[in-house]
Amino acid sequence: MGMFDYKNYSSDDASQLVEDTSKLAAYTNSYNFFNFIPGVDALNLLGTLTGDLFANDTNVGIPDGWMELTSTDFGVSEDLVDHAGYFTIPSLYSGTALPGPQAKIFGQYDEAGDLVRINFNVAGTNAITDVLDYLNLNSREGVELYEPILEMVRDFALDNGLEATDVVFSGYSLGASVTNVLAAERENLVDGFFTESDFIAHAVPTVYDNGDVVLNVGYENDVTHRITGNEPDFLSAIQAMDFGFGNPDKEFSSTTDNFVLYNDVYASPIWDISPFTFLNIPTGWYAHINGITTDAISRVIDSSFYEDTKQDSAVIVSDLSAINRGMVWVEDDAAPTSSSHFGTSAFLIGTQYGDKIAGGNNFDYIDAGRGNDIIKAGIGVDHVDGGSGIDEVRIEGRGKEWDVYQMQDDTLFFVDKDGINLVEADNVESVSFNGEIASHINNYEITDTGLQDNRFLMKWFDNGDKEFLDHLEGSEGNDVLIGQTVFAREGNDTVTGTSKADILHAGRGDDVIMAMGGNDRVYGAEGDDFIDGGAGDDVLIGGVGNDTFVFDALSGNDVIKDFNNDSGYQDMLQFSSELFSDMTSLISNVVQSTTDVLITFNTTDYLTILNSTVDDVLASSVIV
């Protein structure tokens, strides 16, 4: 699974299609500005001149395996292509008298040189006259003007043995809106030939709200993304905006809604006080312009936690310049003008350079990427991957407050002695603690037996050396494990605790966890887990996945920390008939307590579900 999953494609094939269409859309959108400025060449030259200043190498171009198709390929007149190099479509308002909509068409070829896919890519706004086209996008007026060029594409596809499913429509900005219009009208155009085609758009203003047909990839902090929504006409779209042409940050089934491009403007105080409006070009449009050259989509796809993301996961990708990378922490910012997900679980992704990345107060995944990074784990349960480079993981509090375990592959687990916080750290080379400032300068060294305190002077009278503690560790396969401190790792495991206070971490996979007696801490981690806390007062954390929490007459005073905490996942509560005979009995024992839900089991025991509502809990409950 992954946030760019689409239709019935495998996750790998879908992400490749999104990556390819994003590059083709960027190329089409920037190929030529205002019909005379060679945009691609200018952007790539700028990237060369600025070197390492920005977060990625500027390489706007046609991806490998694709090539641009010309009028000669289609066997049509060169008059269908304008002097800027685009196929032209008549304008609803000016016909052919003034420049109207433009498109480029690309072909993908296999190793044998056979055509396997066609991309119809609509250009974004690159002339003043294009602004008029926004007036009819919501109402879809004038869509019939695309019929002639679509007929050309259909005939070319059929002549090359392709079907509608081998055609993908895409575009950036204005072109993304046209892609959505074509998706909405696909059954009415060219006798419905393109009904089963693919539609993947980038930075879309006007939305066709059907996630089974179109995927719209864009950034939450791009003011144009989703701004005119799916209103029936332009006037309605204006009325649906916030005051002053502000983006209302609506959610749609076909759009990414919590994808943040963490750039210099977003990181600055200006963002928090600047109106998030279409009229605010210096800040509101920054991510929109930035989106043409960034490789953020590729970095998301290549991240170690990509398979755990969903379309509406909070994903924060660093795009900071060298000026800010060494000073600014990349994090899930409150961003009052644009963010709707602050405080939820987040996925944070770094660059190829040295980054500073910080988790929040929930359950976060951090992939620092390449470079020498400092990764600050937050409060909750964080999974950190330093990637390549020499990376430092910074843990909250002081070293004495944590137990540390090392796995056979050198993964470290930091477990809060007195709380429920846990940090899983892969590919890190040193450790510091937020409450020990000296360790930020002289990090703890990771040895074969523990953490070695290297703090200058401090280690002589406050030695913080820590030995790795004993534990039971699973394998990459499906294990059956019984113990008090268990890290099951990969596979679909069965983990059983003891009568004591256990620490049970199931790792990646669809696991069964039975904590038995004692006051236990249970971490489901990644996967669809089945979690039974057993007797005792337990803290239960499912992690990402569709988890099922099980309760019966033996259950004590349990707490679920992350119920339905991750966007796109659906947790369940399973109660035995010994506790509640039917839903009516359950309902009578459920109450809202501020932001939490309390379910009374008997006179002494109850379940607390943090940050939930009664409606959500009941909708996710079954009795067996």
Side-chain angles (χ1 to χ4, degrees):
M1 302 296 289
M3 72 180 295
F4 302 133
D5 283 359
Y6 177 63
K7 289 187 174 179
N8 60 349
Y9 286 103
S10 70
S11 189
D12 286 344
D13 288 343
S15 60
Q16 186 64 61
L17 191 57
V18 168
E19 188 171 27
D20 283 352
T21 57
S22 71
K23 292 178 180 179
L24 291 168
Y27 178 85
T28 298
N29 194 66
S30 58
Y31 180 77
N32 195 285
F33 294 125
F34 302 105
N35 293 310
F36 68 90
I37 301 175
V40 167
D41 293 337
L43 289 172
N44 288 334
L45 176 61
L46 178 63
T48 300
L49 294 176
T50 53
D52 296 344
L53 176 62
F54 298 111
N56 52 268
D57 297 325
T58 301
N59 186 23
V60 181
I62 301 173
D64 292 341
W66 291 86
M67 65 175 291
E68 185 173 352
L69 301 176
T70 67
S71 58
T72 302
D73 295 311
F74 288 99
V76 298
S77 170
E78 292 184 3
D79 292 341
L80 294 179
V81 179
D82 63 20
H83 70 277
Y86 294 94
F87 283 93
T88 59
I89 299 97
S91 168
L92 177 65
Y93 300 99
S94 61
T96 58
L98 295 173
Q102 300 165 302
K104 283 188 173 291
I105 306 173
F106 303 92
Q108 185 180 29
Y109 293 83
D110 62 17
E111 293 181 356
D114 295 324
L115 182 69
V116 295
R117 178 175 278 131
I118 299 170
N119 173 232
F120 184 82
N121 208 301
V122 185
T125 306
N126 63 4
I128 297 298
T129 52
D130 286 340
V131 176
L132 290 173
D133 290 325
Y134 282 95
L135 301 176
N136 59 288
L137 290 172
N138 286 82
S139 63
R140 305 175 197 161
E141 296 173 274
V143 68
E144 67 279 358
L145 296 170
Y146 284 83
E147 283 268 2
I149 194 170
L150 294 181
E151 289 175 352
M152 183 189 76
V153 173
R154 176 201 60 191
D155 294 344
F156 183 75
L158 293 174
D159 289 344
N160 283 272
L162 303 185
E163 302 176 353
T165 52
D166 301 312
V167 180
V168 56
F169 292 84
S170 59
Y172 192 89
S173 192
L174 173 62
S177 287
V178 173
T179 300
N180 277 253
V181 170
L182 296 177
E185 297 294 325
R186 67 197 184 283
E187 296 177 353
N188 302 319
L189 293 168
V190 197
D191 299 322
F193 177 79
F194 296 107
T195 297
E196 300 301 323
S197 293
D198 297 328
F199 299 86
I200 301 178
H202 299 269
V204 59
T206 305
V207 175
Y208 176 49
D209 192 20
N210 188 328
D212 295 327
V213 175
V214 62
L215 175 62
N216 292 301
V217 179
Y219 302 109
E220 177 187 77
N221 54 317
D222 173 1
V223 74
T224 67
H225 182 52
R226 303 167 294 164
I227 189 168
T228 55
N230 64 336
E231 302 299 328
D233 53 62
F234 186 72
L235 180 59
S236 299
I238 296 295
Q239 293 173 339
M241 292 181 192
D242 291 338
F243 176 77
F245 297 96
N247 192 323
D249 193 27
K250 294 180 180 178
E251 296 184 359
F252 300 102
S253 65
S254 65
T255 61
T256 57
D257 298 323
N258 303 305
F259 190 13
V260 176
L261 193 63
Y262 201 95
N263 51 43
D264 290 29
V265 170
Y266 188 81
S268 73
I270 294 175
W271 185 265
D272 293 339
I273 61 174
S274 177
F276 193 50
T277 167
F278 190 77
L279 302 177
N280 187 358
I281 295 176
T283 60
W285 282 66
Y286 193 79
H288 191 70
I289 297 168
N290 212 182
I292 296 173
T293 57
T294 183
D295 66 347
I297 288 175
S298 298
R299 282 186 279 138
V300 170
I301 293 169
D302 293 339
S303 69
S304 54
F305 306 121
Y306 176 70
E307 64 185 89
D308 301 310
T309 62
K310 292 286 190 177
Q311 183 173 315
D312 274 338
S313 295
V315 179
I316 293 90
V317 184
S318 176
D319 217 59
L320 293 174
S321 70
I323 298 171
N324 281 311
R325 277 195 297 270
M327 301 183 295
V328 176
W329 290 96
V330 177
E331 58 190 343
D332 185 10
D333 190 84
T337 60
S338 60
S339 176
S340 59
H341 53 76
F342 177 68
T344 65
S345 292
F347 296 84
L348 300 104
I349 299 170
T351 69
Q352 62 181 312
Y353 305 109
D355 300 301
K356 299 177 72 172
I357 307 180
N361 293 324
N362 210 294
F363 306 90
D364 301 314
Y365 286 79
I366 303 174
D367 184 338
R370 293 179 286 164
N372 302 333
D373 310 299
I374 302 175
I375 307 157
K376 185 163 61 177
I379 303 299
V381 179
D382 290 349
H383 192 164
V384 168
D385 189 337
S388 60
I390 308 301
D391 304 303
E392 169 194 341
V393 61
R394 186 168 297 173
I395 308 298
E396 280 295 318
R398 301 177 61 83
K400 65 180 67 175
E401 298 167 358
W402 297 84
D403 289 328
V404 188
Y405 305 84
Q406 186 182 51
M407 305 298 109
Q408 294 180 6
D409 66 353
D410 293 332
T411 294
L412 299 180
F413 280 91
F414 298 82
V415 180
D416 188 351
K417 289 182 178 180
D418 299 320
I420 58 90
N421 302 309
L422 179 145
V423 177
E424 179 179 356
D426 301 307
N427 301 310
V428 296
E429 284 67 43
S430 64
V431 177
S432 65
F433 293 92
N434 217 32
E436 299 177 4
I437 302 301
S439 70
H440 300 180
I441 302 171
N442 299 105
N443 299 161
Y444 282 74
E445 181 182 348
I446 303 170
T447 72
D448 292 337
T449 59
L451 302 183
Q452 179 177 299
D453 187 356
N454 287 328
R455 292 176 296 165
F456 180 68
L457 295 179
M458 294 292 293
K459 65 181 180 181
W460 301 113
F461 58 88
D462 182 32
N463 192 290
D465 288 351
K466 299 184 70 66
E467 291 186 1
F468 296 135
L469 300 182
D470 293 335
H471 62 279
L472 181 63
E473 181 179 346
S475 68
E476 294 183 358
N478 302 330
D479 304 309
V480 176
L481 303 168
I482 301 174
Q484 186 176 0
T485 304
V486 179
F487 300 97
R489 310 309 307 278
E490 306 281 344
N492 301 329
D493 308 306
T494 300
V495 180
T496 304
T498 69
S499 59
K500 300 178 181 179
D502 304 320
I503 298 170
L504 307 176
H505 188 280
R508 185 174 296 281
D510 301 336
D511 308 303
V512 176
I513 312 165
M514 296 172 288
M516 308 304 286
N519 300 333
D520 308 307
R521 285 176 279 176
V522 178
Y523 305 90
E526 302 85 20
D528 301 340
D529 303 313
F530 186 89
I531 300 173
D532 185 346
D537 301 338
D538 308 308
V539 177
L540 311 175
I541 299 170
V544 296
N546 304 308
D547 303 310
T548 300
F549 298 90
V550 180
F551 304 94
D552 57 28
L554 297 177
S555 298
N557 292 319
D558 294 341
V559 178
I560 300 177
K561 287 281 188 176
D562 69 333
F563 187 71
N564 284 341
N565 187 57
D566 301 291
S567 179
Y569 291 101
Q570 178 64 56
D571 295 332
M572 295 295 297
L573 300 169
Q574 180 177 303
F575 300 100
S576 74
S577 56
E578 296 173 304
L579 283 176
F580 305 110
S581 57
D582 51 30
M583 286 300 295
T584 301
S585 174
L586 171 61
I587 291 171
S588 65
N589 285 280
V590 178
V591 297
Q592 187 78 46
S593 176
T594 62
T595 59
D596 307 326
V597 172
L598 302 182
I599 302 179
T600 303
F601 291 159
N602 50 52
T603 56
T604 59
D605 300 317
Y606 55 88
L607 169 65
T608 303
I609 305 170
L610 300 184
N611 300 312
S612 295
T613 65
V614 169
D615 289 343
D616 186 27
V617 166
L618 293 177
S620 306
S621 297
V622 295
I623 298 173
V624 297

